[in-house]
Amino acid sequence: MSTNENSDSFELIVKLGLHVKPSENSASGKRFASVGYAVSESQMQYVHEELPGDSGGDAAAYRKAIARAVEELNKIS
């Protein structure tokens, strides 16, 4: 991931108040990039992208999850 991609993602996270975290499905053992966005003052909605386990793939999964969260926010705005 380039420095510019990092700063663009970080800017979106801060500007839109996104909640970014790793998560794991205990039943399957799969790991996910989870990005939450506020749908109301008291409710968060999350999108998830599976993490493949390598740094390049994980970075791409986080970028994709952030982009999906932004798309969902645009739908409700």
Side-chain angles (χ1 to χ4, degrees):
M1 180 186 293
S2 74
T3 302
N4 195 33
E5 288 173 325
N6 278 337
S7 64
D8 289 347
S9 293
F10 183 74
E11 184 176 318
L12 284 171
I13 291 166
V14 172
K15 181 179 178 181
L16 299 174
L18 301 177
H19 182 231
V20 180
K21 65 177 187 168
S23 61
E24 185 172 332
N25 181 311
S26 57
S28 69
K30 292 182 179 180
R31 295 176 50 243
F32 297 89
S34 299
V35 178
Y37 55 94
V39 292
S40 70
E41 287 187 27
S42 60
Q43 183 181 4
M44 296 286 286
Q45 183 72 35
Y46 283 85
V47 294
H48 308 280
E49 286 294 326
E50 188 171 352
L51 296 170
D54 61 275
S55 62
D58 286 357
Y62 275 103
R63 283 194 308 274
K64 187 173 181 181
I66 290 167
R68 286 182 52 215
V70 170
E71 286 175 11
E72 292 300 319
L73 273 172
N74 286 334
K75 288 179 187 177
I76 60 175
S77 296

